[in-house]
Amino acid sequence: MARVRMRDVAEHAGVSVRTVSNVVNGYSHVSPDTRSKVQRSLDELGYRMDYLARGLRSGRTGFIALAVPFVAEPYFAELAEAVIRAAGRRDITVLIESTAGDSEVERRILEGGLTNVADGVLLSALTLPASDIATKKPDFPLVMLGEHSVGDQFPRVGIDNVEAARTAVEHLLGQGCRRIVALGRNGSENGRQRTEGYERAMSAARVRRVNWMVVPVEDWTRDQGYAAVRELLEGDGPLPDAIFAFNDALAVGALRALDASGVRVPEDVAVAGIDAIQESAYTHPPLTSIAPDLDVIAERALALLEEQMQSPNAPEQSPPAEVPREESAAPAIVEDTPFRLVIRDSSAWSPKTP
Amino acid sequence: MARVRMRDVAEHAGVSVRTVSNVVNGYSHVSPDTRSKVQRSLDELGYRMDYLARGLRSGRTGFIALAVPFVAEPYFAELAEAVIRAAGRRDITVLIESTAGDSEVERRILEGGLTNVADGVLLSALTLPASDIATKKPDFPLVMLGEHSVGDQFPRVGIDNVEAARTAVEHLLGQGCRRIVALGRNGSENGRQRTEGYERAMSAARVRRVNWMVVPVEDWTRDQGYAAVRELLEGDGPLPDAIFAFNDALAVGALRALDASGVRVPEDVAVAGIDAIQESAYTHPPLTSIAPDLDVIAERALALLEEQMQSPNAPEQSPPAEVPREESAAPAIVEDTPFRLVIRDSSAWSPKTP
DNA sequence: ACAGGACCTTGCAACGATGCAAAAGATCAC
DNA sequence: GTGATCTTTTGCATCGTTGCAAGGTCCTGT
């Protein structure tokens, strides 16, 4: 059975191809009679739209692309799930692309590598250096997820990383901890911001600088968290009384290392993370974490994307710019979405179940 | 800057559109002179292929679709990552679709809902009832992942679930466990097979039937594993001495429930799972599990898919079938891929680190 | 000098759908 | 009955690319 095209349906129903198209697209001026006749043929032949062909002609594919560094990282997987849910409510299909944390791939996406196949792009950039972001000005709908890009010339949706980190550290301070390790600084902007949140909280609590401690890692993964804490424990410095991990994956690794060394959590060392991935409710002990509202992030990101997709964009016929157009662009859209502090046993003494 | 088309490049370089196409596609009979001239224009104008248009004309999009029940389930996320890696080696882009475990969506995919946009489909079906699978005969390249479908008329790649389960249970038996609970039966074929593996192992070890125990769940998720074990512990029956969870997510939930109740693992109850998701190396204690080789699965699946994509398929002009074509189809291709038993502390007394 | 190739380049039509605008038919006021 | 208006249906061109096959040009061997 070869592919059924509109032409086939048209012949079967005895109408023109255009009329079939009208029925399929719910055009209003079609007589009920014709509509049902066509619909019957449609069903009978099992017609399915060729989205490629439609996309070619109409410029709309019905797809959006979501680019994340690693699909298998729980946070990104859960984010993807939220985006898929939100897109489903809008009859949009999500195409997920993995950048493998490669800045080359991220650059290619910024330059439009996915625009032919997707109407818009959600990019969760990991490594993209500020310089690249600053110079590019994409001519297609794009929304950045989660990362405060320096220039902020693209719309961005995500939690305020500084505030999130500060909230977590404040909580640990509130539990009486003072020697708090910040685990996870790396080259990323995100890492910088979470470091800043840590410093602000420590500073505000007047913790002596000698007790500050920032431990670098390469990636925000379980094994890096494990290795870093392992090293920390083997060192000869005094033990910290808390670990603030920049994400839950690091925290999971940290918990494992502490457990393996017989360090009690939270009695000896309290632990908190960021992301509140599902896994974090099942660690030993369950992990205190900052929970971004992924559904809100996805919803807002899609709304912003749709806004851009609807605006004519007017790339060519824009009237001669009055202002020389140098950085006179619209003010950056930066949406900070809400987050919650989820307190679990890893930082508190009132046991809870997942 | 509007979209740059081949026509624009052709004009800029002073050649025909077709020649540009030839250069872009690496056609061999192009003079070095022309090639470099075109290449220069290509770069200068920043040309990017419109994959939609190419796909429309040539029938090849360069995409394959991977449909999994839930992107956020670690096993599927890791599987997706493996598929993406394998596809990357072949210059294929993977489009990930989430079926949300909805058999309606799975059916739609089997009927070809993704064929316009993808050259082939990898489907990891969860709920698809045998009846549906049995009656459909897709006219596009399709490979099933992981699930032994009853009819097995589609190529399938994955571990032998019966053997995998048997291996895990044999290991627990080898540790001296006898009252082993199988955790995770549900309506799925996969669940049936893992139950069978459990039963075979128990039977072979001559464990008295009164000690067999199969606990049903709805989904193979952490919370279901937690709830089921919680219930088990609250019941008045004697405690099991081991839990064999049908996947690691269930095992993670089980471990948490045991931990919360103060049951020691593995001293009181040993635990083993299937999948060996990354998370399983970081549980308390680290989880013994069956590790399928995801890279092999992905690699073999793509190879089978490419085989189908290359074969002409000849759906219409096939010579009048000598045999009435009823179920005389080619023998099922079922590739069982290797797996390993990864022994960690949850079932053994020789401590290991992740 | 010329047929036969090999090499390079090109024009045309087509993939399956929709934008556009006009044609055909129906309805109504006067 | 006639034009005006509204509804319903249609034909044609077109989106950006590649398949096909032909048209050149330049060797090569005889």
mmCIF file with all atom_site columns, all heavy atoms in Angstrom, chain A residues 311-332:
data_model
loop_
_atom_site.group_PDB
_atom_site.id
_atom_site.type_symbol
_atom_site.label_atom_id
_atom_site.label_alt_id
_atom_site.label_comp_id
_atom_site.label_asym_id
_atom_site.label_entity_id
_atom_site.label_seq_id
_atom_site.pdbx_PDB_ins_code
_atom_site.Cartn_x
_atom_site.Cartn_y
_atom_site.Cartn_z
_atom_site.occupancy
_atom_site.B_iso_or_equiv
_atom_site.pdbx_formal_charge
_atom_site.auth_seq_id
_atom_site.auth_comp_id
_atom_site.auth_asym_id
_atom_site.auth_atom_id
_atom_site.pdbx_PDB_model_num
ATOM 1   N N   . SER A 1 311 ? 4.907  36.653 15.441 1.00 0.00 ? 311 SER A N   1
ATOM 2   C CA  . SER A 1 311 ? 5.346  37.959 14.955 1.00 0.00 ? 311 SER A CA  1
ATOM 3   C C   . SER A 1 311 ? 5.966  37.775 13.584 1.00 0.00 ? 311 SER A C   1
ATOM 4   O O   . SER A 1 311 ? 6.685  36.822 13.336 1.00 0.00 ? 311 SER A O   1
ATOM 5   C CB  . SER A 1 311 ? 6.371  38.549 15.913 1.00 0.00 ? 311 SER A CB  1
ATOM 6   O OG  . SER A 1 311 ? 7.644  38.043 15.634 1.00 0.00 ? 311 SER A OG  1
ATOM 7   N N   . PRO A 1 312 ? 5.626  38.689 12.660 1.00 0.00 ? 312 PRO A N   1
ATOM 8   C CA  . PRO A 1 312 ? 6.066  38.529 11.272 1.00 0.00 ? 312 PRO A CA  1
ATOM 9   C C   . PRO A 1 312 ? 7.575  38.470 11.134 1.00 0.00 ? 312 PRO A C   1
ATOM 10  O O   . PRO A 1 312 ? 8.076  38.002 10.133 1.00 0.00 ? 312 PRO A O   1
ATOM 11  C CB  . PRO A 1 312 ? 5.497  39.778 10.598 1.00 0.00 ? 312 PRO A CB  1
ATOM 12  C CG  . PRO A 1 312 ? 5.240  40.744 11.702 1.00 0.00 ? 312 PRO A CG  1
ATOM 13  C CD  . PRO A 1 312 ? 4.923  39.930 12.892 1.00 0.00 ? 312 PRO A CD  1
ATOM 14  N N   . ASN A 1 313 ? 8.263  38.970 12.133 1.00 0.00 ? 313 ASN A N   1
ATOM 15  C CA  . ASN A 1 313 ? 9.714  38.898 12.102 1.00 0.00 ? 313 ASN A CA  1
ATOM 16  C C   . ASN A 1 313 ? 10.307 39.905 11.119 1.00 0.00 ? 313 ASN A C   1
ATOM 17  O O   . ASN A 1 313 ? 11.382 40.434 11.322 1.00 0.00 ? 313 ASN A O   1
ATOM 18  C CB  . ASN A 1 313 ? 10.195 37.495 11.739 1.00 0.00 ? 313 ASN A CB  1
ATOM 19  C CG  . ASN A 1 313 ? 11.579 37.256 12.267 1.00 0.00 ? 313 ASN A CG  1
ATOM 20  O OD1 . ASN A 1 313 ? 12.230 38.209 12.718 1.00 0.00 ? 313 ASN A OD1 1
ATOM 21  N ND2 . ASN A 1 313 ? 12.054 36.033 12.236 1.00 0.00 ? 313 ASN A ND2 1
ATOM 22  N N   . ALA A 1 314 ? 9.567  40.169 10.066 1.00 0.00 ? 314 ALA A N   1
ATOM 23  C CA  . ALA A 1 314 ? 9.923  41.206 9.101  1.00 0.00 ? 314 ALA A CA  1
ATOM 24  C C   . ALA A 1 314 ? 11.409 41.364 8.904  1.00 0.00 ? 314 ALA A C   1
ATOM 25  O O   . ALA A 1 314 ? 11.991 42.386 9.219  1.00 0.00 ? 314 ALA A O   1
ATOM 26  C CB  . ALA A 1 314 ? 9.340  42.545 9.554  1.00 0.00 ? 314 ALA A CB  1
ATOM 27  N N   . PRO A 1 315 ? 12.042 40.360 8.370  1.00 0.00 ? 315 PRO A N   1
ATOM 28  C CA  . PRO A 1 315 ? 13.492 40.398 8.298  1.00 0.00 ? 315 PRO A CA  1
ATOM 29  C C   . PRO A 1 315 ? 13.994 41.313 7.185  1.00 0.00 ? 315 PRO A C   1
ATOM 30  O O   . PRO A 1 315 ? 15.039 41.915 7.280  1.00 0.00 ? 315 PRO A O   1
ATOM 31  C CB  . PRO A 1 315 ? 13.874 38.951 7.999  1.00 0.00 ? 315 PRO A CB  1
ATOM 32  C CG  . PRO A 1 315 ? 12.595 38.273 7.577  1.00 0.00 ? 315 PRO A CG  1
ATOM 33  C CD  . PRO A 1 315 ? 11.476 39.242 7.640  1.00 0.00 ? 315 PRO A CD  1
ATOM 34  N N   . GLU A 1 316 ? 13.211 41.446 6.136  1.00 0.00 ? 316 GLU A N   1
ATOM 35  C CA  . GLU A 1 316 ? 13.711 42.168 4.969  1.00 0.00 ? 316 GLU A CA  1
ATOM 36  C C   . GLU A 1 316 ? 13.106 43.547 4.847  1.00 0.00 ? 316 GLU A C   1
ATOM 37  O O   . GLU A 1 316 ? 13.783 44.526 4.607  1.00 0.00 ? 316 GLU A O   1
ATOM 38  C CB  . GLU A 1 316 ? 13.353 41.372 3.698  1.00 0.00 ? 316 GLU A CB  1
ATOM 39  C CG  . GLU A 1 316 ? 13.942 39.991 3.695  1.00 0.00 ? 316 GLU A CG  1
ATOM 40  C CD  . GLU A 1 316 ? 14.940 39.833 2.594  1.00 0.00 ? 316 GLU A CD  1
ATOM 41  O OE1 . GLU A 1 316 ? 15.952 40.562 2.641  1.00 0.00 ? 316 GLU A OE1 1
ATOM 42  O OE2 . GLU A 1 316 ? 14.697 39.003 1.695  1.00 0.00 ? 316 GLU A OE2 1
ATOM 43  N N   . GLN A 1 317 ? 11.800 43.572 4.994  1.00 0.00 ? 317 GLN A N   1
ATOM 44  C CA  . GLN A 1 317 ? 11.116 44.808 4.653  1.00 0.00 ? 317 GLN A CA  1
ATOM 45  C C   . GLN A 1 317 ? 11.011 45.773 5.821  1.00 0.00 ? 317 GLN A C   1
ATOM 46  O O   . GLN A 1 317 ? 10.252 46.732 5.774  1.00 0.00 ? 317 GLN A O   1
ATOM 47  C CB  . GLN A 1 317 ? 9.716  44.465 4.150  1.00 0.00 ? 317 GLN A CB  1
ATOM 48  C CG  . GLN A 1 317 ? 9.786  43.519 2.955  1.00 0.00 ? 317 GLN A CG  1
ATOM 49  C CD  . GLN A 1 317 ? 8.412  43.212 2.407  1.00 0.00 ? 317 GLN A CD  1
ATOM 50  O OE1 . GLN A 1 317 ? 7.423  43.361 3.105  1.00 0.00 ? 317 GLN A OE1 1
ATOM 51  N NE2 . GLN A 1 317 ? 8.349  42.796 1.156  1.00 0.00 ? 317 GLN A NE2 1
ATOM 52  N N   . SER A 1 318 ? 11.770 45.502 6.850  1.00 0.00 ? 318 SER A N   1
ATOM 53  C CA  . SER A 1 318 ? 11.700 46.428 7.974  1.00 0.00 ? 318 SER A CA  1
ATOM 54  C C   . SER A 1 318 ? 12.062 47.818 7.475  1.00 0.00 ? 318 SER A C   1
ATOM 55  O O   . SER A 1 318 ? 13.023 47.995 6.732  1.00 0.00 ? 318 SER A O   1
ATOM 56  C CB  . SER A 1 318 ? 12.673 45.996 9.065  1.00 0.00 ? 318 SER A CB  1
ATOM 57  O OG  . SER A 1 318 ? 13.986 46.040 8.567  1.00 0.00 ? 318 SER A OG  1
ATOM 58  N N   . PRO A 1 319 ? 11.274 48.801 7.862  1.00 0.00 ? 319 PRO A N   1
ATOM 59  C CA  . PRO A 1 319 ? 11.537 50.169 7.391  1.00 0.00 ? 319 PRO A CA  1
ATOM 60  C C   . PRO A 1 319 ? 12.931 50.610 7.809  1.00 0.00 ? 319 PRO A C   1
ATOM 61  O O   . PRO A 1 319 ? 13.439 50.163 8.841  1.00 0.00 ? 319 PRO A O   1
ATOM 62  C CB  . PRO A 1 319 ? 10.466 50.987 8.119  1.00 0.00 ? 319 PRO A CB  1
ATOM 63  C CG  . PRO A 1 319 ? 10.088 50.170 9.310  1.00 0.00 ? 319 PRO A CG  1
ATOM 64  C CD  . PRO A 1 319 ? 10.238 48.751 8.881  1.00 0.00 ? 319 PRO A CD  1
ATOM 65  N N   . PRO A 1 320 ? 13.552 51.440 7.022  1.00 0.00 ? 320 PRO A N   1
ATOM 66  C CA  . PRO A 1 320 ? 14.913 51.899 7.342  1.00 0.00 ? 320 PRO A CA  1
ATOM 67  C C   . PRO A 1 320 ? 15.035 52.287 8.804  1.00 0.00 ? 320 PRO A C   1
ATOM 68  O O   . PRO A 1 320 ? 14.413 53.233 9.260  1.00 0.00 ? 320 PRO A O   1
ATOM 69  C CB  . PRO A 1 320 ? 15.096 53.106 6.421  1.00 0.00 ? 320 PRO A CB  1
ATOM 70  C CG  . PRO A 1 320 ? 13.770 53.346 5.765  1.00 0.00 ? 320 PRO A CG  1
ATOM 71  C CD  . PRO A 1 320 ? 13.033 52.046 5.831  1.00 0.00 ? 320 PRO A CD  1
ATOM 72  N N   . ALA A 1 321 ? 15.822 51.542 9.502  1.00 0.00 ? 321 ALA A N   1
ATOM 73  C CA  . ALA A 1 321 ? 15.897 51.745 10.944 1.00 0.00 ? 321 ALA A CA  1
ATOM 74  C C   . ALA A 1 321 ? 16.259 53.191 11.269 1.00 0.00 ? 321 ALA A C   1
ATOM 75  O O   . ALA A 1 321 ? 17.228 53.731 10.767 1.00 0.00 ? 321 ALA A O   1
ATOM 76  C CB  . ALA A 1 321 ? 16.934 50.799 11.542 1.00 0.00 ? 321 ALA A CB  1
ATOM 77  N N   . GLU A 1 322 ? 15.464 53.770 12.112 1.00 0.00 ? 322 GLU A N   1
ATOM 78  C CA  . GLU A 1 322 ? 15.738 55.159 12.502 1.00 0.00 ? 322 GLU A CA  1
ATOM 79  C C   . GLU A 1 322 ? 17.051 55.204 13.282 1.00 0.00 ? 322 GLU A C   1
ATOM 80  O O   . GLU A 1 322 ? 17.941 55.968 13.007 1.00 0.00 ? 322 GLU A O   1
ATOM 81  C CB  . GLU A 1 322 ? 14.609 55.678 13.384 1.00 0.00 ? 322 GLU A CB  1
ATOM 82  C CG  . GLU A 1 322 ? 13.228 55.492 12.755 1.00 0.00 ? 322 GLU A CG  1
ATOM 83  C CD  . GLU A 1 322 ? 12.260 54.885 13.758 1.00 0.00 ? 322 GLU A CD  1
ATOM 84  O OE1 . GLU A 1 322 ? 12.498 55.061 14.955 1.00 0.00 ? 322 GLU A OE1 1
ATOM 85  O OE2 . GLU A 1 322 ? 11.282 54.241 13.315 1.00 0.00 ? 322 GLU A OE2 1
ATOM 86  N N   . VAL A 1 323 ? 17.104 54.339 14.250 1.00 0.00 ? 323 VAL A N   1
ATOM 87  C CA  . VAL A 1 323 ? 18.336 54.228 15.016 1.00 0.00 ? 323 VAL A CA  1
ATOM 88  C C   . VAL A 1 323 ? 19.250 53.293 14.225 1.00 0.00 ? 323 VAL A C   1
ATOM 89  O O   . VAL A 1 323 ? 18.773 52.366 13.570 1.00 0.00 ? 323 VAL A O   1
ATOM 90  C CB  . VAL A 1 323 ? 18.037 53.631 16.400 1.00 0.00 ? 323 VAL A CB  1
ATOM 91  C CG1 . VAL A 1 323 ? 19.230 53.797 17.319 1.00 0.00 ? 323 VAL A CG1 1
ATOM 92  C CG2 . VAL A 1 323 ? 16.805 54.296 16.997 1.00 0.00 ? 323 VAL A CG2 1
ATOM 93  N N   . PRO A 1 324 ? 20.528 53.530 14.254 1.00 0.00 ? 324 PRO A N   1
ATOM 94  C CA  . PRO A 1 324 ? 21.466 52.729 13.465 1.00 0.00 ? 324 PRO A CA  1
ATOM 95  C C   . PRO A 1 324 ? 21.414 51.230 13.782 1.00 0.00 ? 324 PRO A C   1
ATOM 96  O O   . PRO A 1 324 ? 22.241 50.485 13.316 1.00 0.00 ? 324 PRO A O   1
ATOM 97  C CB  . PRO A 1 324 ? 22.824 53.318 13.846 1.00 0.00 ? 324 PRO A CB  1
ATOM 98  C CG  . PRO A 1 324 ? 22.532 54.704 14.270 1.00 0.00 ? 324 PRO A CG  1
ATOM 99  C CD  . PRO A 1 324 ? 21.167 54.668 14.889 1.00 0.00 ? 324 PRO A CD  1
ATOM 100 N N   . ARG A 1 325 ? 20.452 50.836 14.576 1.00 0.00 ? 325 ARG A N   1
ATOM 101 C CA  . ARG A 1 325 ? 20.222 49.415 14.818 1.00 0.00 ? 325 ARG A CA  1
ATOM 102 C C   . ARG A 1 325 ? 21.319 48.732 15.650 1.00 0.00 ? 325 ARG A C   1
ATOM 103 O O   . ARG A 1 325 ? 21.298 47.535 15.866 1.00 0.00 ? 325 ARG A O   1
ATOM 104 C CB  . ARG A 1 325 ? 20.071 48.677 13.479 1.00 0.00 ? 325 ARG A CB  1
ATOM 105 C CG  . ARG A 1 325 ? 19.057 47.545 13.542 1.00 0.00 ? 325 ARG A CG  1
ATOM 106 C CD  . ARG A 1 325 ? 18.842 46.922 12.196 1.00 0.00 ? 325 ARG A CD  1
ATOM 107 N NE  . ARG A 1 325 ? 17.656 46.064 12.168 1.00 0.00 ? 325 ARG A NE  1
ATOM 108 C CZ  . ARG A 1 325 ? 17.433 45.053 12.977 1.00 0.00 ? 325 ARG A CZ  1
ATOM 109 N NH1 . ARG A 1 325 ? 18.282 44.754 13.895 1.00 0.00 ? 325 ARG A NH1 1
ATOM 110 N NH2 . ARG A 1 325 ? 16.328 44.327 12.874 1.00 0.00 ? 325 ARG A NH2 1
ATOM 111 N N   . GLU A 1 326 ? 22.300 49.501 16.072 1.00 0.00 ? 326 GLU A N   1
ATOM 112 C CA  . GLU A 1 326 ? 23.344 48.876 16.879 1.00 0.00 ? 326 GLU A CA  1
ATOM 113 C C   . GLU A 1 326 ? 22.834 48.695 18.301 1.00 0.00 ? 326 GLU A C   1
ATOM 114 O O   . GLU A 1 326 ? 22.705 49.653 19.049 1.00 0.00 ? 326 GLU A O   1
ATOM 115 C CB  . GLU A 1 326 ? 24.598 49.743 16.946 1.00 0.00 ? 326 GLU A CB  1
ATOM 116 C CG  . GLU A 1 326 ? 25.096 50.227 15.602 1.00 0.00 ? 326 GLU A CG  1
ATOM 117 C CD  . GLU A 1 326 ? 26.257 51.183 15.800 1.00 0.00 ? 326 GLU A CD  1
ATOM 118 O OE1 . GLU A 1 326 ? 27.093 50.913 16.679 1.00 0.00 ? 326 GLU A OE1 1
ATOM 119 O OE2 . GLU A 1 326 ? 26.318 52.212 15.107 1.00 0.00 ? 326 GLU A OE2 1
ATOM 120 N N   . GLU A 1 327 ? 22.574 47.476 18.634 1.00 0.00 ? 327 GLU A N   1
ATOM 121 C CA  . GLU A 1 327 ? 22.190 47.163 20.008 1.00 0.00 ? 327 GLU A CA  1
ATOM 122 C C   . GLU A 1 327 ? 21.018 47.993 20.488 1.00 0.00 ? 327 GLU A C   1
ATOM 123 O O   . GLU A 1 327 ? 20.870 48.259 21.657 1.00 0.00 ? 327 GLU A O   1
ATOM 124 C CB  . GLU A 1 327 ? 23.392 47.374 20.942 1.00 0.00 ? 327 GLU A CB  1
ATOM 125 C CG  . GLU A 1 327 ? 24.561 46.501 20.574 1.00 0.00 ? 327 GLU A CG  1
ATOM 126 C CD  . GLU A 1 327 ? 24.137 45.069 20.326 1.00 0.00 ? 327 GLU A CD  1
ATOM 127 O OE1 . GLU A 1 327 ? 23.283 44.559 21.067 1.00 0.00 ? 327 GLU A OE1 1
ATOM 128 O OE2 . GLU A 1 327 ? 24.635 44.463 19.354 1.00 0.00 ? 327 GLU A OE2 1
ATOM 129 N N   . SER A 1 328 ? 20.200 48.419 19.550 1.00 0.00 ? 328 SER A N   1
ATOM 130 C CA  . SER A 1 328 ? 19.015 49.128 19.975 1.00 0.00 ? 328 SER A CA  1
ATOM 131 C C   . SER A 1 328 ? 17.855 48.138 20.075 1.00 0.00 ? 328 SER A C   1
ATOM 132 O O   . SER A 1 328 ? 16.711 48.501 20.104 1.00 0.00 ? 328 SER A O   1
ATOM 133 C CB  . SER A 1 328 ? 18.665 50.207 18.972 1.00 0.00 ? 328 SER A CB  1
ATOM 134 O OG  . SER A 1 328 ? 18.187 49.603 17.787 1.00 0.00 ? 328 SER A OG  1
ATOM 135 N N   . ALA A 1 329 ? 18.219 46.881 20.082 1.00 0.00 ? 329 ALA A N   1
ATOM 136 C CA  . ALA A 1 329 ? 17.218 45.820 20.059 1.00 0.00 ? 329 ALA A CA  1
ATOM 137 C C   . ALA A 1 329 ? 16.265 45.934 21.235 1.00 0.00 ? 329 ALA A C   1
ATOM 138 O O   . ALA A 1 329 ? 16.509 46.652 22.204 1.00 0.00 ? 329 ALA A O   1
ATOM 139 C CB  . ALA A 1 329 ? 17.915 44.461 20.080 1.00 0.00 ? 329 ALA A CB  1
ATOM 140 N N   . ALA A 1 330 ? 15.185 45.221 21.113 1.00 0.00 ? 330 ALA A N   1
ATOM 141 C CA  . ALA A 1 330 ? 14.195 45.219 22.181 1.00 0.00 ? 330 ALA A CA  1
ATOM 142 C C   . ALA A 1 330 ? 14.863 44.788 23.480 1.00 0.00 ? 330 ALA A C   1
ATOM 143 O O   . ALA A 1 330 ? 15.849 44.056 23.474 1.00 0.00 ? 330 ALA A O   1
ATOM 144 C CB  . ALA A 1 330 ? 13.073 44.255 21.834 1.00 0.00 ? 330 ALA A CB  1
ATOM 145 N N   . PRO A 1 331 ? 14.321 45.280 24.572 1.00 0.00 ? 331 PRO A N   1
ATOM 146 C CA  . PRO A 1 331 ? 14.918 44.904 25.861 1.00 0.00 ? 331 PRO A CA  1
ATOM 147 C C   . PRO A 1 331 ? 14.856 43.395 26.047 1.00 0.00 ? 331 PRO A C   1
ATOM 148 O O   . PRO A 1 331 ? 13.946 42.739 25.567 1.00 0.00 ? 331 PRO A O   1
ATOM 149 C CB  . PRO A 1 331 ? 14.011 45.607 26.874 1.00 0.00 ? 331 PRO A CB  1
ATOM 150 C CG  . PRO A 1 331 ? 12.738 45.876 26.133 1.00 0.00 ? 331 PRO A CG  1
ATOM 151 C CD  . PRO A 1 331 ? 13.139 46.108 24.714 1.00 0.00 ? 331 PRO A CD  1
ATOM 152 N N   . ALA A 1 332 ? 15.838 42.870 26.680 1.00 0.00 ? 332 ALA A N   1
ATOM 153 C CA  . ALA A 1 332 ? 15.913 41.431 26.872 1.00 0.00 ? 332 ALA A CA  1
ATOM 154 C C   . ALA A 1 332 ? 14.713 40.925 27.646 1.00 0.00 ? 332 ALA A C   1
ATOM 155 O O   . ALA A 1 332 ? 14.258 41.561 28.591 1.00 0.00 ? 332 ALA A O   1
ATOM 156 C CB  . ALA A 1 332 ? 17.194 41.075 27.617 1.00 0.00 ? 332 ALA A CB  1
#
